[in-house]
Amino acid sequence: MTMDPIDRQLLQDFQRDLPLVARPYAAMAERLGIGETEVIDRLDRLTNSGAVSRVGAVLRPHTVGASTLAAMAVPTDRLDSVAALVSAYPEVNHNYQRDHRLNLWFVVATTSAEAVHGVLDDIHQRTGLTVLNLPLEQDFHIDLGFELSWT
Amino acid sequence: MDLSDRDYALVTALCGGLPLTPRPFLALAHAVGMEEDDVIARLHSLSTAGIIRRLGVIVRHRELGYRANAMVVWDIPDHAVEDVGQRLGSCPEVTLCYRRPRRLPDWPYNLFTMVHGRDRTEVTGMIAAMAEREGLRNHRRETLFSTRRFKQCGAHYGQRQAAE
């Protein structure tokens, strides 16, 4: 993926404080010294290339719905099949292997705490493995976006 | 601040992403049956109230070359976890900082931070420097690097909704 200095400025400077005006991309364009259409075209290209997830919001956790982080210690020879079983739940939105005895880590997000527990119980029943439930108790992060450094 | 049904519909519609059209809030307004001006004013209030943490361009770390993704977990005494959490949560290296329950004997850690970097060497160095700087060198911690991503997408809380 090739990015020029304007792409980089677009990614660095507008991770927060999207202008809350009727034409936000025009307001961004003015600060970047380019046209509104060019801002839109660049965001479209960066979204298609995967560098941008979306122009949108990060919400305070648990504003809508309920979620948890779960961890399992999966025997190596079962990891692929258990990971596929977990990923198949629409309620699972992140699922990673990590290098630890607890080697499968995933996030369950759905409508209610009861529904979250239902998914965890179901995974436990189907795999016969213990599922550690590690719900968020307190959020300390001040989210200012991610500082990008270009080297 | 409690969310009204209208706010709920608004943040739910918003989290799928704003359209890349000249008047994205107008499109959002149509989707939830509000006026464009009211959507903008409401988003301002929700941001001020901290319900919307951040509104803007949401980037993907891995696709931008930040391929090393570490979950650093800390065992911090309960009486100190709030203070340590607030300090780590405002470190520039940290992209998430949550308190979670211990699950003894399997899991002794109660503070979770995420650190992203270009490679493991860089991330390991960032974590060590942060622990030193924050006076946490003697607290037990582990670094869990991700080795495979099986799934990553926005969350669906019944309606269209996404969270990082």
Side-chain angles (χ1 to χ4, degrees):
Chain A
M1 184 190 329
T2 56
M3 285 189 280
D4 67 16
I6 292 175
D7 285 337
R8 293 170 182 190
Q9 200 185 343
L10 188 59
L11 295 182
Q12 181 62 63
D13 292 357
F14 295 97
Q15 291 187 37
R16 58 188 172 117
D17 300 331
L18 181 80
L20 282 172
V21 295
R23 294 176 68 174
Y25 305 122
M28 291 164 67
E30 195 168 330
R31 280 166 56 186
L32 292 164
I34 58 177
E36 180 187 36
T37 305
E38 191 179 342
V39 167
I40 289 173
D41 289 347
R42 283 173 183 269
L43 286 171
D44 190 51
R45 175 170 50 78
L46 291 164
T47 304
N48 287 329
S49 75
V52 167
S53 162
R54 64 194 183 274
V55 177
V58 176
L59 299 184
R60 186 175 68 189
H62 296 178
T63 296
V64 292
S67 64
T68 199
L69 176 69
M72 299 169 75
V74 183
T76 310
D77 61 346
R78 293 181 60 195
L79 186 59
D80 283 357
S81 66
V82 172
L85 182 151
V86 167
S87 290
Y89 287 85
E91 296 90 346
V92 170
N93 61 68
H94 287 71
N95 186 17
Y96 284 88
Q97 180 185 354
R98 295 191 180 276
D99 54 355
H100 191 271
R101 187 183 66 82
L102 290 161
N103 54 357
L104 193 66
W105 290 80
F106 54 95
V107 174
V108 177
T110 182
T111 49
S112 67
E114 293 71 29
V116 168
H117 285 122
V119 171
L120 298 184
D121 285 346
D122 202 47
I123 291 171
H124 167 63
Q125 295 294 335
R126 291 174 63 197
T127 61
L129 299 168
T130 301
V131 182
L132 285 191
N133 179 17
L134 302 168
L136 187 159
E137 293 182 330
Q138 201 171 354
D139 180 6
F140 298 111
H141 183 232
I142 312 297
D143 190 350
L144 302 177
F146 185 67
E147 182 139 350
L148 300 165
S149 61
W150 312 97
T151 52
Chain B
M1 178 172 169
D2 289 330
L3 279 193
S4 66
D5 288 348
R6 197 180 62 161
D7 290 335
Y8 190 96
L10 183 60
V11 296
T12 302
L14 172 66
C15 285
L18 283 173
L20 297 174
T21 53
R23 293 176 68 179
F25 301 118
L26 182 63
L28 196 57
H30 286 152
V32 297
M34 290 170 65
E35 298 294 324
E36 183 185 30
D37 286 351
D38 295 336
V39 164
I40 291 171
R42 215 53 218 142
L43 292 177
H44 187 77
S45 301
L46 292 166
S47 296
T48 304
I51 288 167
I52 294 176
R53 281 287 177 79
R54 153 164 97 80
L55 186 60
V57 178
I58 295 172
V59 303
R60 286 206 175 92
H61 303 116
R62 183 179 297 225
E63 281 71 7
L64 287 169
Y66 293 82
R67 297 189 170 275
N69 153 343
M71 185 172 78
V72 188
V73 293
W74 313 74
D75 177 11
I76 305 292
D78 289 346
H79 67 85
V81 69
E82 175 128 12
D83 172 59
V84 173
Q86 284 177 0
R87 283 193 284 130
L88 291 183
S90 52
C91 287
E93 298 91 341
V94 168
T95 58
L96 286 175
C97 183
Y98 295 149
R99 183 180 184 178
R100 298 183 185 277
R102 295 186 180 85
R103 299 296 186 201
L104 299 171
D106 294 320
W107 187 254
Y109 303 104
N110 61 339
L111 193 63
F112 288 60
T113 51
M114 293 297 308
V115 178
H116 295 264
R118 295 188 185 280
D119 56 47
R120 288 189 179 205
T121 307
E122 180 187 78
V123 170
T124 303
M126 290 161 72
I127 294 162
M130 184 167 71
E132 186 73 30
R133 194 179 68 225
E134 300 297 332
L136 301 173
R137 196 179 47 178
N138 296 323
H139 288 75
R140 179 161 52 153
R141 71 168 192 266
E142 284 194 77
T143 298
L144 284 73
F145 281 103
S146 68
T147 46
R148 258 196 295 178
R149 177 170 65 177
F150 294 112
K151 186 174 186 183
Q152 182 196 21
C153 61
H156 301 271
Y157 292 97
Q159 300 177 62
R160 230 162 53 117
Q161 154 68 24
E164 283 300 287

